[in-house]
């Protein structure tokens, strides 16, 4: 997927930055001594870690967009979409109803709920106007493992214990805490980061993103494969 390639390209930039500013972290570098610079290794590592996690969260947003594009490009019938996905389609309309701002707006919101539900229950091909892009990205664009799993659940993953977060979840939780404390000036709550830590986080998120991309490919292939079988039988 393009999202994965873009993410790895951004991580390569961070990797190049680390190795340029701190060549001693590269065991293959002819420079073995620590380069003198006007900031500590921990400051550089902390800054790069924040950048790495931000890029990873951007990857999740891009992955959700690419996955939705895939549904349109392959003309997936609405009947193949999971109830979790359909709930996101209705989310804003239901929110308007719950707010109960005035009777006329309630009626309009109810009409949109009925129209949307009728379309999503039909055998028609999904259309761009019904894709909940904003709602999904708002719900899943985070390194928080629960939010990442939500993305897979939206696309029909019924066995999250076998997904990427079963392998990476605990490490992502730890990295989230480190990033959050660094951003909010609470880095003193953790041991100082080393340059090796930053490189390890880079590799961790690269591996996790690759596993997430593979898992999403599998989910999308399953959706399209079942849709093709249904069309053939009918």
């Amino acid at each position: 997927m393009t999202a994965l390639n873009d993410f790895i390209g951004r991580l390569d930039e961070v990797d190049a930055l680390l190795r340029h500013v701190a060549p001693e972290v590269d065991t293959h570098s002819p420079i073995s001594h620590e380069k003198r610079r006007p900031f500590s290794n921990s400051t550089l590592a902390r800054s790069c870690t924040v950048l790495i996690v931000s890029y990873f969260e951007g990857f999740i947003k891009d992955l959700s967009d690419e996955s939705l594009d895939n549904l349109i490009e392959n003309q997936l019938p609405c009947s193949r979409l999971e109830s979790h996905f359909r709930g996101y389609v209705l989310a804003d309309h239901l929110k308007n109803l719950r707010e109960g701002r005035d009777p006329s707006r309630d009626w309009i919101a109810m009409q949109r709920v009925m129209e949307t539900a009728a379309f999503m229950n039909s055998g028609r091909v999904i259309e761009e106007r019904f894709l909940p892009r904003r709602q999904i990205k708002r719900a899943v664009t985070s390194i928080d493992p629960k939010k990442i799993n939500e993305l897979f659940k939206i696309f029909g993953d019924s066995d999250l214990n076998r997904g990427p977060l079963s392998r990476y979840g605990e490490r992502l939780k730890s990295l989230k805490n480190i990033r959050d404390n660094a951003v909010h000036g609470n880095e003193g709550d953790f041991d100082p980061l080393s340059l090796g830590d930053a490189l390890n986080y880079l590799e961790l998120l690269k591996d996790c993103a690759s596993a997430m991309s593979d898992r999403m490919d599998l989910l999308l292939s399953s959706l399209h494969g079942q849709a093709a079988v249904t069309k053939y039988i009918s």
Side-chain angles (χ1 to χ4, degrees):
M1 282 190 168
T2 303
L4 179 62
N5 293 333
D6 289 347
F7 175 59
I8 290 176
R10 293 183 180 109
L11 288 189
D12 287 344
E13 290 179 348
V14 179
D15 184 84
L17 172 65
L18 272 168
R19 296 181 189 281
H20 175 73
V21 177
E24 69 273 13
V25 303
D26 187 348
T27 57
H28 300 293
S29 171
I31 304 175
S32 58
H33 60 84
E34 181 171 331
K35 184 179 179 181
R36 293 181 63 84
R37 46 186 169 269
F39 48 84
S40 68
N41 284 359
S42 179
T43 299
L44 177 60
R46 189 167 66 250
S47 301
C48 286
T49 297
V50 170
L51 190 59
I52 290 165
V53 173
S54 297
Y55 282 158
F56 180 71
E57 292 180 336
F59 159 73
I60 297 170
K61 176 180 68 66
D62 291 343
L63 182 63
S64 68
D65 261 335
E66 275 193 3
S67 303
L68 292 169
D69 290 342
N70 181 280
L71 304 182
I72 295 290
E73 292 166 4
N74 289 279
Q75 299 185 316
L76 187 77
C78 293
S79 57
R80 291 301 318 146
L81 294 167
E82 297 292 328
S83 59
H84 211 65
F85 186 107
R86 300 181 194 203
Y88 274 93
V89 177
L90 288 173
D92 281 353
H93 303 314
L94 292 174
K95 180 182 177 182
N96 289 336
L97 274 175
R98 293 189 189 103
E99 289 176 351
R101 289 174 291 185
D102 66 62
S104 60
R105 289 187 178 184
D106 289 348
W107 176 246
I108 292 171
M110 179 59 77
Q111 284 185 311
R112 288 176 178 168
V113 167
M114 291 188 294
E115 174 194 359
T116 302
F119 186 90
M120 296 303 295
N121 284 327
S122 71
R124 295 170 63 186
V125 170
I126 187 66
E127 297 177 8
E128 177 65 40
R129 64 192 174 106
F130 288 106
L131 291 181
R133 291 184 185 272
R134 177 174 50 81
Q135 297 91 326
I136 289 177
K137 283 187 283 189
R138 187 171 59 213
V140 306
T141 306
S142 169
I143 194 174
D144 185 337
K146 290 182 179 179
K147 292 184 179 293
I148 296 173
N149 268 334
E150 181 71 4
L151 177 62
F152 294 118
K153 191 174 179 181
I154 289 168
F155 284 90
D157 200 335
S158 59
D159 192 1
L160 297 174
N161 290 327
R162 292 181 178 273
L165 275 301
S166 63
R167 303 194 300 277
Y168 298 102
E170 290 303 316
R171 284 177 287 174
L172 293 189
K173 284 182 185 178
S174 176
L175 183 51
K176 180 181 184 301
N177 287 334
I178 292 170
R179 187 280 306 268
D180 290 350
N181 279 277
V183 168
H184 298 294
N186 300 321
E187 64 275 4
D189 292 347
F190 289 86
D191 292 335
L193 297 180
S194 70
L195 298 174
D197 289 331
L199 286 174
N200 286 337
Y201 297 149
L202 189 151
E203 291 302 321
L204 165 66
L205 295 187
K206 186 182 292 186
D207 291 344
C208 183
S210 180
M212 287 171 60
S213 184
D214 289 344
R215 184 69 170 184
M216 186 60 74
D217 283 342
L218 183 64
L219 292 172
L220 292 171
S221 295
S222 178
L223 279 174
H224 297 311
Q226 292 178 29
V229 169
T230 301
K231 182 176 180 181
Y232 176 78
I233 293 175
S234 59

